[in-house]
Amino acid sequence: MRHSKSLWIGAALVGVALLLPTVTSAQRRSSSSSSWNDDDGPRETETVEKTVAFPDNGTLRVKNFSGDVHIVAGNGHDLKIKARRRASRERLDHIKLDVQSSGSSVTVNANVPDSSWERDHRNNNVVETAMEIEVPASARLDVDVFSSNVTVERVVGDQRLKTFSGEI
């Protein structure tokens, strides 16, 4: 009995020892991904928060290239956006998150380069932008994204949701 107990404990220790390199490797992968480099430098993260008046019976238009978009109905009359943007510092400085109101719509565009950047970096003009947007429940949605998942909760207005390589 004593011999089988020692054998069982030994097997358990070997199993734990085999798992440790896997856990350490996964942790290393996770931490190295946060320091992933773009062509123009190491990636940084910034958070942008904005609140704008949302027109009655208004439409939210969202344009994004990369990063998930989550839209939820809130209790107020404003549009609230919290965006987490990831790219090199140079890209973050030259490619802005733009929120514009015009008539009965509010447009959120995640990748608006300044004119000098666009001219010099035509193929390098994307900032990964994950967005959480709160709108009135009656808002109409017009979402056109590329490499983004789109989720919508409790919004009852008309919805046109389009993604190229994501899920809705």
Side-chain angles (χ1 to χ4, degrees):
M1 180 78 165
R2 180 168 250 213
H3 179 65
S4 64
K5 192 178 210 183
S6 297
L7 186 59
W8 182 84
I9 291 171
L13 289 174
V14 168
V16 168
L18 289 173
L19 287 176
L20 284 177
T22 304
V23 171
T24 305
S25 173
Q27 289 171 343
R28 218 177 297 125
R29 254 194 322 267
S30 174
S31 64
S32 68
S33 69
S34 65
S35 63
W36 186 72
N37 286 339
D38 283 335
D39 293 340
D40 47 4
R43 280 186 149 197
E44 294 184 21
T45 300
E46 70 178 19
T47 300
V48 176
E49 294 184 49
K50 293 186 179 187
T51 300
V52 297
F54 195 79
D56 290 337
N57 301 312
T59 300
L60 168 64
R61 299 183 196 292
V62 178
K63 297 177 183 177
N64 194 16
F65 190 85
S66 175
D68 293 346
V69 176
H70 179 73
I71 303 169
V72 62
N75 295 326
H77 298 287
D78 293 335
L79 175 141
K80 297 177 184 175
I81 181 169
K82 181 177 182 180
R84 187 179 58 22
R85 307 178 74 231
R86 290 186 49 186
S88 68
R89 172 49 43 201
E90 187 176 18
R91 283 192 203 181
L92 291 171
D93 289 343
H94 292 282
I95 302 170
K96 297 300 180 189
L97 174 74
D98 186 50
V99 179
Q100 296 287 323
S101 294
S102 178
S104 64
S105 65
V106 175
T107 301
V108 177
N109 190 339
N111 290 285
V112 178
D114 62 37
S115 59
S116 65
W117 178 267
E118 186 174 33
R119 186 176 53 250
D120 297 338
H121 299 86
R122 289 177 199 252
N123 296 324
N124 198 7
N125 60 3
V126 173
V127 170
E128 178 187 336
T129 306
M131 294 184 244
E132 295 176 23
I133 305 171
E134 182 179 306
V135 294
S138 62
R140 290 188 299 266
L141 304 178
D142 183 1
V143 178
D144 189 357
V145 296
F146 188 79
S147 184
S148 304
N149 295 321
V150 178
T151 56
V152 178
E153 294 181 37
R154 300 184 312 272
V155 177
V156 296
D158 292 340
Q159 300 177 12
R160 187 185 80 77
L161 310 173
K162 179 182 171 190
T163 184
F164 181 78
S165 65
E167 293 184 15
I168 296 177

